[in-house]
Amino acid sequence: ATALFLFVVTWLFTKVGECLPTTHHATNYSKSSKYIYRSEFDNNGLAVVEKKGKLALVNSSGVLLTKYQYKEIDAFADGLALVRLDAKERKDQLYGYIDLNGKEVIPPQFKLAKGFAGGHAAVLNRSTWGFIDKTGKMVISPKFKNPGKFSGGYAIINENEIYDKNGNKAGQFLLNGKITQGFSNERAIAQSTSGAFHITPKGLPAYFVKYDEITPFIGNIAFVKRGEVWELSRSTGNYTNSLKFKRANKNSYIEKFC
């Protein structure tokens, strides 16, 4: 069953085209002897280097893009990386964001902050969290105690509340279990003691069957496994239809559902 699942996923990525996103692999860049590297080069050809305990960003040509002034430089997401200033006092170690050129597009000003996802980043304002956009504008007012990251247009807040990009509460997951993976194509993954299942932005089950394993939706399809049988699942509005997957008729499934 596992081999069949891997075969199906591989076949989908090679045959479906636009239905599934392509993956990108980092190129092997040469490191300059001038620098002490604290990370490998990422897919953008950027790496973190260190000097006297302070961090900076360098490109694959060996050009230093920032000053050595950071205590933290996170991985890039949505074209921006979270950085924390290096300072003697903790109150001065503020968080901000740099772009792929090393420019501080959102200057360090936050006591605590998280990386961007889905065009939003969570920042702490006094004792509660809000969300800023990529210009640094506060687009969702601080009111949260435990913010999550946006994916598929929604964020999981306080572990079981679901909010949209406008800061409106779309729903809440009130069943036994917890949300284990964010939204993709209007579906998130929840796990209970009796199995895994997809939920809608309202926090309701997309269907009333529990599975041993499920995958996120890629385009409008996902895979679910019960026992040793994998099924191909298709999202349709607020409903999810599933069919047992057989290798022999994979072509008709893809043409019909993808």
Side-chain angles (χ1 to χ4, degrees):
T2 301
L4 174 58
F5 174 64
L6 293 175
F7 167 81
V8 171
V9 173
T10 303
W11 187 88
L12 284 171
F13 270 92
T14 57
K15 297 295 184 181
V16 174
E18 292 185 356
C19 186
L20 298 179
T22 56
T23 55
H24 300 279
H25 301 282
T27 305
N28 291 323
Y29 297 104
S30 298
K31 294 181 178 179
S32 171
S33 59
K34 296 190 302 181
Y35 301 113
I36 298 173
Y37 288 82
R38 290 303 180 218
S39 78
E40 299 299 321
F41 284 101
D42 64 13
N43 289 335
N44 303 300
L46 304 175
V48 177
V49 292
E50 180 187 349
K51 183 178 181 180
K52 296 181 180 180
K54 297 186 178 183
L55 304 178
L57 192 70
V58 68
N59 66 18
S60 58
S61 299
V63 176
L64 202 63
L65 300 181
T66 69
K67 296 179 180 179
Y68 286 98
Q69 61 180 344
Y70 299 114
K71 191 175 186 68
E72 294 178 26
I73 301 178
D74 284 1
F76 279 89
D78 281 5
L80 299 178
L82 178 68
V83 295
R84 177 158 67 108
L85 287 176
D86 187 286
K88 290 183 179 180
E89 300 292 333
R90 178 63 183 87
K91 65 182 179 61
D92 297 321
Q93 295 177 11
L94 301 176
Y95 288 86
Y97 300 85
I98 60 175
D99 64 14
L100 295 170
N101 296 313
K103 179 182 178 181
E104 287 183 351
V105 293
I106 303 176
Q109 58 192 278
F110 306 106
K111 291 185 177 180
L112 282 175
K114 298 187 178 185
F116 270 88
H120 291 63
V123 296
L124 185 68
N125 185 303
R126 295 183 179 179
S127 61
T128 56
W129 293 81
F131 287 87
I132 59 173
D133 64 14
K134 294 173 72 173
T135 69
K137 179 182 177 181
M138 187 75 73
V139 291
I140 300 178
S141 300
K143 56 184 176 181
F144 306 114
K145 292 295 185 181
N146 185 12
K149 290 187 175 182
F150 274 90
S151 65
Y154 300 94
I156 312 302
I157 307 294
N158 300 329
E159 297 186 350
N160 69 341
E161 298 175 1
I162 302 165
Y163 281 78
D164 64 21
K165 286 189 173 183
N166 297 316
N168 299 317
K169 187 174 180 179
Q172 187 169 359
F173 181 68
L174 297 174
L175 301 177
N176 291 329
K178 63 180 181 178
I179 302 173
T180 57
Q181 191 160 336
F183 280 87
S184 173
N185 195 42
E186 299 290 306
R187 296 289 185 269
I189 295 177
Q191 179 73 47
S192 69
T193 55
S194 56
F197 53 100
H198 293 101
I199 63 171
T200 71
K202 292 183 178 181
L204 302 175
Y207 43 78
F208 294 96
V209 180
K210 303 294 192 302
Y211 294 97
D212 297 329
E213 296 179 47
I214 61 177
T215 71
F217 274 88
I218 306 173
N220 66 341
I221 60 173
F223 291 94
V224 295
K225 180 175 178 285
R226 185 166 44 182
E228 295 301 318
V229 178
W230 282 97
E231 300 178 15
L232 183 66
S233 184
R234 178 177 70 106
S235 173
T236 308
N238 292 325
Y239 301 95
T240 299
N241 303 323
S242 58
L243 295 169
K244 291 183 179 179
F245 190 85
K246 298 179 181 179
R247 186 185 302 188
N249 53 9
K250 65 180 184 300
N251 290 332
S252 62
Y253 282 154
I254 299 305
E255 290 173 2
K256 186 175 180 180
F257 297 124
C258 193

